[in-house]
Amino acid sequence: MQSTNAKSKMNCQRRKFIGRAGAAAAMLTLAPGVRLVDLALARPADEPASDKVRWGMLVDATKCAQGCTECVDACNEEFGLEGMGRPKTDAQYIRKIDLKDKTTGKRYSLPMLCQHCETAPCVDVCPTGASFRRVDGIVLVDKHICIGCRYCMMACPFKARSFIHENLTNQVPEAPRGKGTVESCTFCVHRVDRDREPACVEACTRAGHEALVFGDMNDPGSGLSQRLRELPNRQIRADLGLNSGVRYHGV
Amino acid sequence: MRAAPAVLSWTLICATGWMALAAADTPMPTPPRGKGEQCVEATDVMRRDHMRFLTHQRDETMHRGIRTQKHSLVECLECHTRKDTQGQFLPVNAEGEFCDVCHDYSGVTMDCFECHATTPRQPKPASARSSAELGSDISFRLRITP
Amino acid sequence: MRSVRYQTLAGQSGGYWILLAVLAVLVAMGYAAAHYMEVNGHYVTGMSNQIVWGTPHVFAVFLIVAASGALNTASISSVFGKSDYKSLARLSALLSVALLVGGLIVLVLDLGRPERLIVAMTYYNFKSIFAWNIFLYIGFLLVVAIYLWMMFEPRMNKFGKSAGTVAFIWRFVLTTGTGSIFGFLVARQAYDAAIMAPLFIIMSLSFGTAIFLLVLIAAFEWTGRPLDDDILRRLKNLLAIFVSAVLYMTLAYHLTNLYATEHHGVERFILLDGGVYTTMFWLFQVILGGVVPLVILFSPTLSRTRGALIAASILVVIGGLAQVYVIIIGAQAFPLVLFPGMEENSTFFDGAVNSYTPSAPEILLGIGGIALALLIAVVAMRVLPFLPERLGEQPSATSEPVAAEAAAG
């Protein structure tokens, strides 16, 4: 008994060591500023998400190109979100919003997605607790206990949620979704748990815009934290005091 | 009154015997074999407790972010889905496929696949054949190859 | 103390069976509509990712709110000791249960996964007002059922006042909960207002009294029971006060919003250029559902006729539905403001007024809920003696001051 315990502990430590060594190696090889994920926080599959981490994102609207929908397309591909040709009921986890200042006429373009609030109104109002916030800050819907009341959609200040209005088939293995439940951006939790970036961030970087930065807001050394310190940024509907996990620069 | 235990035990013995006899000629479901030698647990354990494992894993993954593969539904698909003649995966709940065979036999409705994928991620099929057609194809093939 | 004799409906007449049949058909159609929505998914309705709560919620909230108000007559008799109302307490309690059940059924059948109702009963998030409401609704049904038992069982009559008091308090909490569903929604321009809870309470008194009056008159006239005009006159005065109070609270709500520049957009939308919602508000809610009934109820000549009283009550019900429609759907039609001072544009209808047309299944489901409430009442009156044989055999000594009754509400 004891020996197996010790062995598994050793295994665990060895894994952590390998992870950290790998992270250090990655740090050396990556150019500064071009960060993938916070590899130092890589965790084994059997370890739960940690409350030491707060996943977050920075949207740099100055780099977000008008008319570009790379992030949206990548998201749709990742989650198998196929439009039914009914825009009013089709699900959108991330969408591009074009803004025009009513006074000055200045235009902005930026993606809007679940803001993964610290005190999320959707989590507060959900009667069954299906809408919940994981300890690492990712707001999710447990579709197994979602009854489809849509109160969270009424409560969300960002219109980040969609209701599944029809029967679905051919879902993607990592993204179960079905009629009568509510869903929204998961920060690609299935990727994040495996130390990969969300699909939208990856796509934006691949397209050369680098308008999206993902990382751990609690780790002062993370690329995200560095950028958040460098660039003036704000929360959308900051007046509500929700401490959102998605911050915007340049709007 | 004293006869009661005796009556009871005789009843039990007879009932057991009868069930054993009945079981001998009861047709049993024969789901298609999965990949590999053995599932993640013993077959009789899986048969009885697969939903317990899945439900436990579901909560661990959903709420705590634990991504072990042993009891993951996605991993079930890896071993228990088969391909048709054109190399396309068949839905695991399609007629004659792994989940369907026993669930059809026992009359237990599954609602897992209202949301969950029924195949591993696969490229879009070239021909626009519905999964229902594919399903009937394979069951035909199954019947002629025991 | 005068003794009141209660009698079940004979339930033999052709009219009774026709009424039952009509209500049953409406209930069946409502259920079929819900089934159709559930099998296909909500895309077959007018609801969308923009208007997430539609016509079923209008009917459900209206019925739930009215349920609480329908108990008013019973409360006045038990809690405030107005014996003139005592003989109507059973009907009042029955109606409140029936309306609540009708409303809840509509609410449940509109869920995305109605078959998971058990989940809503077993998993609770106690920060959610919805979760509280599940307790409040079920508790209300229990409390009123006990209250009815106390009234029906002569040996238990002595507890009637206590049970009535519990029910009276419970329904205030319940309607506070219903109003808070909207009042606590900080994100939406039209909600996020503490006044929602008292507004809903006063709405409940108004809608509930109107429905009670209609059922009372129908039940007595169709069964040939003598109905004294004195009690109707008192209920009429009560209704007039409630209707005025709803208008006053509506005024207070909009004035408060109008003072805050932040809310000018949504106020402009509802009051001026919101199209169907503006019409709903002014024509149906304020004029037909408020001003006209008040004119009728306060007019010395009109208010004497029973027909005018019926018309006023029907108008209050229509105005109430319009009011709930504006509160629920009008508020969602107005876009969320994410970037004040900016024009917003997206494929997800940001910055755009959201369109919504009620679909047939939604309307049928809502009407089915009303029909179910009435069906419960009609069947219950046939099975148990809810109705007094006659009303006002002895004219009451003096007419109570109206203000005292209003305070009771």
Side-chain angles (χ1 to χ4, degrees):
Chain A
M1 220 34 190
Q2 232 169 8
S3 75
T4 45
N5 236 341
K7 201 171 160 191
S8 78
K9 203 174 255 174
M10 207 161 72
N11 260 337
C12 200
Q13 276 167 352
R14 194 177 56 187
R15 248 179 290 177
K16 273 183 186 157
F17 170 74
I18 293 170
R20 288 194 182 125
M27 294 280 201
L28 289 176
T29 50
L30 289 172
V34 186
R35 302 269 296 104
L36 286 175
V37 266
D38 300 279
L39 291 169
L41 287 158
R43 67 180 162 89
D46 60 351
E47 210 171 273
S50 159
D51 59 0
K52 306 271 189 303
V53 178
R54 166 112 198 255
W55 296 111
M57 185 187 279
L58 174 69
V59 177
D60 187 344
T62 60
K63 291 181 175 174
C64 182
Q66 197 114 29
C68 169
T69 56
E70 292 283 344
C71 54
V72 179
D73 300 339
C75 179
N76 291 347
E77 168 68 25
E78 183 74 17
F79 288 92
L81 306 180
E82 290 165 353
M84 303 280 163
R86 290 183 255 107
K88 278 161 64 173
T89 54
D90 284 344
Q92 295 199 26
Y93 291 5
I94 183 170
R95 62 189 191 269
K96 284 294 295 288
I97 301 189
D98 291 323
L99 298 174
K100 187 180 152 201
D101 192 309
K102 282 179 194 163
T103 317
T104 64
K106 181 164 170 47
R107 289 174 180 279
Y108 306 86
S109 183
L110 48 83
M112 180 56 62
L113 64 161
C114 172
Q115 303 285 297
H116 298 278
C117 311
E118 187 183 359
T119 50
C122 57
V123 174
D124 289 348
V125 301
C126 177
T128 65
S131 192
F132 70 101
R133 183 176 178 273
R134 227 170 67 154
V135 288
D136 57 0
I138 301 180
V139 175
L140 297 170
V141 180
D142 183 347
K143 287 171 190 164
H144 304 105
I145 55 172
C146 172
I147 56 172
C149 73
R150 281 109 73 208
Y151 197 17
C152 56
M153 298 175 76
M154 291 292 281
C156 176
F158 311 103
K159 226 171 93 171
R161 291 206 155 168
S162 299
F163 180 67
I164 305 177
H165 286 77
E166 60 278 298
N167 290 299
L168 296 177
T169 51
N170 294 325
Q171 289 94 330
V172 171
E174 287 81 14
R177 47 193 301 265
K179 182 186 70 184
T181 55
V182 175
E183 56 182 359
S184 58
C185 158
T186 68
F187 258 172
C188 281
V189 65
H190 58 285
R191 284 167 157 251
V192 172
D193 281 343
R194 297 184 177 97
D195 306 320
R196 293 175 66 202
E197 290 192 301
C200 55
V201 179
E202 203 177 87
C204 188
T205 308
R206 200 188 319 117
H209 299 303
E210 293 174 14
L212 302 178
V213 184
F214 181 82
D216 179 7
M217 294 170 94
N218 282 352
D219 172 11
S222 74
L224 175 69
S225 294
Q226 285 173 21
R227 294 287 287 279
L228 285 173
R229 278 196 302 272
E230 283 162 18
L231 297 173
N233 60 81
R234 55 170 287 212
Q235 308 173 35
I236 311 301
R237 291 293 320 252
D239 58 318
L240 298 174
L242 304 175
N243 189 9
S244 52
V246 180
R247 305 295 170 91
Y248 288 78
H249 164 68
V251 58
Chain B
M1 278 314 270
R2 247 183 293 161
V7 171
L8 190 68
S9 33
W10 270 112
T11 316
L12 276 177
I13 289 165
C14 292
T16 320
W18 180 80
M19 280 195 293
L21 283 174
D25 39 69
T26 303
M28 295 298 283
T30 44
R33 271 191 76 85
K35 281 181 205 150
E37 280 306 302
Q38 174 61 48
C39 195
V40 293
E41 309 283 351
T43 305
D44 60 328
V45 175
M46 283 311 288
R47 196 175 286 148
R48 195 173 54 238
D49 287 335
H50 61 283
M51 264 327 287
R52 254 199 15 216
F53 296 137
L54 284 171
T55 312
H56 179 74
Q57 179 76 14
R58 147 198 135 176
D59 291 338
E60 291 287 284
T61 305
M62 186 79 234
H63 292 267
R64 301 178 69 214
I66 287 173
R67 298 274 174 185
T68 47
Q69 296 185 327
K70 191 175 178 191
H71 293 150
S72 148
L73 182 58
V74 174
E75 295 303 316
C76 301
L77 297 179
E78 295 294 335
C79 291
H80 288 293
T81 44
R82 298 188 298 176
K83 287 183 177 172
D84 65 4
T85 44
Q86 280 142 25
Q88 287 290 319
F89 283 110
L90 292 162
V92 74
N93 60 341
E95 197 187 327
E97 292 307 303
F98 187 76
C99 295
D100 172 70
V101 171
C102 292
H103 275 268
D104 184 47
Y105 175 83
S106 57
V108 178
T109 312
M110 293 172 282
D111 65 357
C112 311
F113 300 109
E114 282 180 36
C115 291
H116 283 277
T118 54
T119 66
R121 206 184 246 261
Q122 65 180 345
K124 294 246 150 47
S127 64
R129 299 178 65 196
S130 76
S131 55
E133 282 175 286
L134 295 173
S136 58
D137 252 352
I138 191 74
S139 54
F140 173 70
R141 197 157 54 82
L142 275 178
R143 245 174 272 136
I144 55 169
T145 50
Chain C
M1 207 169 184
R2 64 187 175 177
S3 70
V4 184
R5 288 180 53 195
Y6 296 90
Q7 188 61 260
T8 56
L9 299 187
Q12 304 293 341
S13 66
Y16 180 80
W17 288 108
I18 291 173
L19 178 64
L20 271 192
V22 169
L23 291 175
V25 167
L26 288 175
V27 170
M29 285 168 76
Y31 182 76
H35 182 70
Y36 174 71
M37 282 160 58
E38 198 201 333
V39 168
N40 288 286
H42 273 61
Y43 83 91
V44 297
T45 71
M47 289 177 266
S48 61
N49 286 327
Q50 287 70 44
I51 307 286
V52 301
W53 285 354
T55 306
H57 296 80
V58 174
F59 279 95
V61 169
F62 175 83
L63 284 169
I64 290 168
V65 163
S68 151
L71 193 67
N72 197 36
T73 310
S75 300
I76 294 173
S77 78
S78 304
V79 183
F80 299 96
K82 299 272 176 266
S83 54
D84 309 298
Y85 289 105
K86 193 159 186 108
S87 50
L88 292 177
R90 292 179 179 186
L91 177 64
S92 167
L94 166 65
L95 211 49
S96 77
V97 167
L99 290 170
L100 186 62
V101 170
L104 288 181
I105 291 281
V106 174
L107 204 58
V108 166
L109 289 179
D110 181 69
L111 291 176
R113 315 273 334 193
E115 83 283 6
R116 286 191 188 159
L117 188 60
I118 190 68
V119 173
M121 307 280 184
T122 46
Y123 288 77
Y124 283 106
N125 164 28
F126 287 103
K127 208 178 170 187
S128 165
I129 302 132
F130 251 23
W132 305 350
N133 279 352
I134 294 170
F135 283 101
L136 290 175
Y137 295 149
I138 295 170
F140 183 80
L141 293 177
L142 276 175
V143 165
V144 178
I146 292 169
Y147 179 32
L148 274 169
W149 177 38
M150 302 295 151
M151 288 194 282
F152 270 92
E153 172 59 57
R155 285 171 301 166
M156 293 294 186
N157 280 170
K158 54 181 181 288
F159 302 115
K161 189 179 163 84
S162 323
T165 308
V166 173
F168 172 73
I169 295 169
W170 199 284
R171 81 188 166 91
F172 272 86
V173 180
L174 180 139
T175 318
T176 303
T178 312
S180 301
I181 289 176
F182 302 95
F184 290 2
L185 287 177
V186 292
R188 304 237 171 206
Q189 297 289 317
Y191 303 144
D192 186 22
I195 201 172
M196 281 293 177
L199 173 66
F200 269 60
I201 287 178
I202 208 72
M203 281 158 61
S204 83
L205 296 175
S206 174
F207 309 164
T209 306
I211 293 178
F212 180 76
L213 259 167
L214 289 171
V215 172
L216 175 69
I217 293 173
F220 273 69
E221 291 205 338
W222 292 349
T223 58
R225 285 167 156 81
L227 176 58
D228 183 45
D229 277 327
D230 191 48
I231 195 92
L232 287 184
R233 191 183 50 75
R234 291 152 164 280
L235 283 168
K236 177 210 78 169
N237 288 341
L238 213 49
L239 181 62
I241 291 199
F242 294 149
V243 171
S244 325
V246 169
L247 282 178
Y248 166 75
M249 293 293 262
T250 307
L251 179 73
Y253 164 80
H254 285 290
L255 279 181
T256 314
N257 267 359
L258 281 169
Y259 206 81
T261 312
E262 182 196 353
H263 297 310
H264 282 182
V266 70
E267 283 300 316
R268 192 181 171 80
F269 178 71
I270 298 292
L271 301 181
L272 285 179
D273 52 18
V276 63
Y277 305 104
T278 306
T279 313
M280 279 273 188
F281 178 79
W282 287 111
L283 183 62
F284 287 91
Q285 179 187 334
V286 175
I287 296 177
L288 287 178
V291 177
V292 175
L294 279 186
V295 169
I296 294 174
L297 297 172
F298 280 128
S299 149
T301 47
L302 270 179
S303 65
R304 292 236 175 88
T305 65
R306 209 166 270 187
L309 187 53
I310 293 170
S313 299
I314 291 176
L315 284 175
V316 170
V317 169
I318 292 172
L321 279 167
Q323 180 167 18
V324 179
Y325 194 93
V326 172
I327 288 177
I328 294 183
I329 298 175
Q332 295 175 83
F334 187 75
L336 282 169
V337 179
L338 292 180
F339 298 92
M342 302 267 197
E343 277 173 26
E344 298 169 26
N345 196 356
S346 80
T347 54
F348 210 53
F349 306 93
D350 287 281
V353 169
N354 300 304
S355 63
Y356 169 78
T357 316
S359 63
E362 290 171 84
I363 297 169
L364 286 176
L365 173 58
I367 291 174
I370 294 182
L372 178 67
L374 295 177
L375 188 65
I376 291 171
V378 170
V379 170
M381 282 189 249
R382 169 77 178 78
V383 177
L384 288 169
F386 280 96
L387 283 182
E389 280 184 331
R390 56 193 301 112
L391 205 53
E393 47 197 331
Q394 302 155 338
S396 54
T398 53
S399 56
E400 304 287 338
V402 169
E405 287 163 12

